[in-house]
């Protein structure tokens, strides 16, 4: 093979890899940094830092993630429940309010479904009434940092704490109650040192085992696209991540919860997972 032909072949292979990676990102997943047939609960793979990533390998089963259930547990961190029971842990990330949260709360109330809302500083400051409603209706409000930065770039415990403490303080000002020490890394960006910092502060860290691309306000998935991902990839012990800003989520949540219930699932608070 001539040098020119070899160069063209290498360029083609590189382009193909870029295309595959882009497709994975569009699907709402980071491509795994490992391979193999390990299950979520028995992965022997070494801990991988960076962007949280999932690989769905078998329908109805938990995906393989960047870190195993056992590896995360050593940091009081979770992405799925180690169970065969059909239970779902609903979580919502709240960066701001655009009018969809009340409909989401209405659907949760109708189904008596507890959820966890991970909030940032601006959401707390702008929506104290919604925060109060969340607590009054039995939901958990968790810590998503004050500024929503890349926490994996923070190397000092002091700076790490400075992102979490104001959220907990503002929550107590609004509700008169202490915030449960539940933390979700913004954008799923993390490092092992971050997880240790969170643990040292008394926090439980929550990733997720099911999500889809629902965060682009002006480019929302269709109902059919949402159901394809959220029904097709549901599994026992799932921690589901949705965004409160999604108009699609607000529109479909009542039906989505109904269809999950018809599949035999129930909904539980994260406190049930942490005590398991």
């Amino acid at each position: 093979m001539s040098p020119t032909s070899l160069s063209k072949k290498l360029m083609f292979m590189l382009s193909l890899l870029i295309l595959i990676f882009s497709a994975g990102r569009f699907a709402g997943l980071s491509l795994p940094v490992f391979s193999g047939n390990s299950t979520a609960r028995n992965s022997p793979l070494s801990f991988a830092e960076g962007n949280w990533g999932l690989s769905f390998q078998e329908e109805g089963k938990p995906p393989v993630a960047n870190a195993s259930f056992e590896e995360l547990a050593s940091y009081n961190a979770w992405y799925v429940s180690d169970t065969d029971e059909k239970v779902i842990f609903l979580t919502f990330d709240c960066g701001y309010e655009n009018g969809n949260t009340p409909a989401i709360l209405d659907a949760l109330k109708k189904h008596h479904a507890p959820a966890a809302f991970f909030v940032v500083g601006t959401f707390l400051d702008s929506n104290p009434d919604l925060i109060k409603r969340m607590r009054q209706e039995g939901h958990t409000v968790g810590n998503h940092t004050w500024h929503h930065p890349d926490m994996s770039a923070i190397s000092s415990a002091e700076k790490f704490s400075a992102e979490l403490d104001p959220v907990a303080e503002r929550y107590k000002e609004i509700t008169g109650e202490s915030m449960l020490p539940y933390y979700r890394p913004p954008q799923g960006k993390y490092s092992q040192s971050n997880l240790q910092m969170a643990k040292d502060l008394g926090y439980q860290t929550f990733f997720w085992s099911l999500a889809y691309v629902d965060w682009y306000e002006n480019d929302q998935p269709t109902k059919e696209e949402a159901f394809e991902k959220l029904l097709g990839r549901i599994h026992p012990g799932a921690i589901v991540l949705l965004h409160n800003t999604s108009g699609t989520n607000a529109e479909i949540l009542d039906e989505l919860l109904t269809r999950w219930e018809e599949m035999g699932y129930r909904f539980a608070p994260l406190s049930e997972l942490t005590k398991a």
Side-chain angles (χ1 to χ4, degrees), residues 172-219:
K172 189 167 187 177
E173 290 174 1
I174 293 170
T175 66
E177 303 174 1
S178 296
M179 173 177 268
L180 283 175
Y182 291 174
Y183 159 64
R184 170 163 285 159
Q187 305 173 65
K189 294 184 177 180
Y190 70 100
S191 66
Q192 284 181 271
S193 62
N194 282 169
L195 295 179
Q196 185 62 52
M197 290 175 195
K199 181 180 179 180
D200 291 343
L201 290 171
Y203 277 89
Q204 305 265 355
T205 299
F206 294 92
F207 293 101
W208 57 90
S209 62
L210 177 58
Y212 78 120
V213 182
D214 64 348
W215 56 85
Y216 295 115
E217 186 176 355
N218 297 318
D219 187 18

Side-chain angles (χ1 to χ4, degrees), residues 166-273:
V167 175
E169 292 165 2
R170 185 71 181 102
Y171 175 81
K172 189 167 187 177
E173 290 174 1
I174 293 170
T175 66
E177 303 174 1
S178 296
M179 173 177 268
L180 283 175
Y182 291 174
Y183 159 64
R184 170 163 285 159
Q187 305 173 65
K189 294 184 177 180
Y190 70 100
S191 66
Q192 284 181 271
S193 62
N194 282 169
L195 295 179
Q196 185 62 52
M197 290 175 195
K199 181 180 179 180
D200 291 343
L201 290 171
Y203 277 89
Q204 305 265 355
T205 299
F206 294 92
F207 293 101
W208 57 90
S209 62
L210 177 58
Y212 78 120
V213 182
D214 64 348
W215 56 85
Y216 295 115
E217 186 176 355
N218 297 318
D219 187 18
Q220 281 288 288
T222 65
K223 173 181 176 180
E224 292 73 23
E225 290 169 338
F227 280 143
E228 179 185 0
K229 292 290 192 301
L230 297 174
L231 295 176
R233 291 179 171 173
I234 196 62
H235 53 270
I239 298 179
V240 178
L241 164 61
L242 302 172
H243 285 82
N244 72 306
T245 54
S246 168
T248 297
N249 290 341
E251 177 187 352
I252 71 169
L253 190 59
D254 181 17
E255 183 179 353
L256 176 64
L257 298 181
T258 297
R259 294 179 69 172
W260 273 336
E261 288 169 333
E262 291 172 348
M263 296 169 69
Y265 284 91
R266 69 177 180 90
F267 309 107
L270 290 178
S271 58
E272 181 177 311
L273 168 61

Side-chain angles (χ1 to χ4, degrees), residues 102-114:
I104 289 171
L105 288 168
D106 289 345
L108 294 171
K109 185 175 183 179
K110 178 180 177 180
H111 290 263
H112 306 286

Side-chain angles (χ1 to χ4, degrees), residues 52 69 72-73 76-82 204-208 239 273-276:
W52 183 245
F69 179 89
L72 290 175
N76 292 340
W78 313 81
Y79 86 98
V80 69
S81 177
D82 187 17
Q204 305 265 355
T205 299
F206 294 92
F207 293 101
W208 57 90
I239 298 179
L273 168 61
T274 62
K275 294 174 183 178

Side-chain angles (χ1 to χ4, degrees), residues 106-167:
D106 289 345
L108 294 171
K109 185 175 183 179
K110 178 180 177 180
H111 290 263
H112 306 286
F117 292 85
F118 288 93
V119 301
V120 299
T122 52
F123 189 92
L124 283 163
D125 275 345
S126 303
N127 304 281
D129 290 341
L130 283 176
I131 295 295
K132 291 176 182 177
R133 180 181 173 186
M134 290 170 185
R135 286 301 303 127
Q136 290 168 354
E137 296 183 359
H139 303 299
T140 298
V141 178
N143 201 320
H144 202 34
T145 74
W146 190 264
H147 297 105
H148 201 265
D150 175 358
M151 295 293 277
S152 69
I154 294 178
S155 58
S156 76
E158 292 75 18
K159 290 182 179 179
F160 189 88
S161 179
E163 276 294 333
L164 298 178
D165 290 348
V167 175

Side-chain angles (χ1 to χ4, degrees), residues 81-98:
S81 177
D82 187 17
T83 182
D84 293 322
E85 182 187 358
K86 286 189 171 183
V87 57
I88 295 172
F89 302 91
L90 295 168
T91 70
F92 293 84
D93 283 3
C94 304
Y96 59 95
E97 177 55 34
N98 61 355

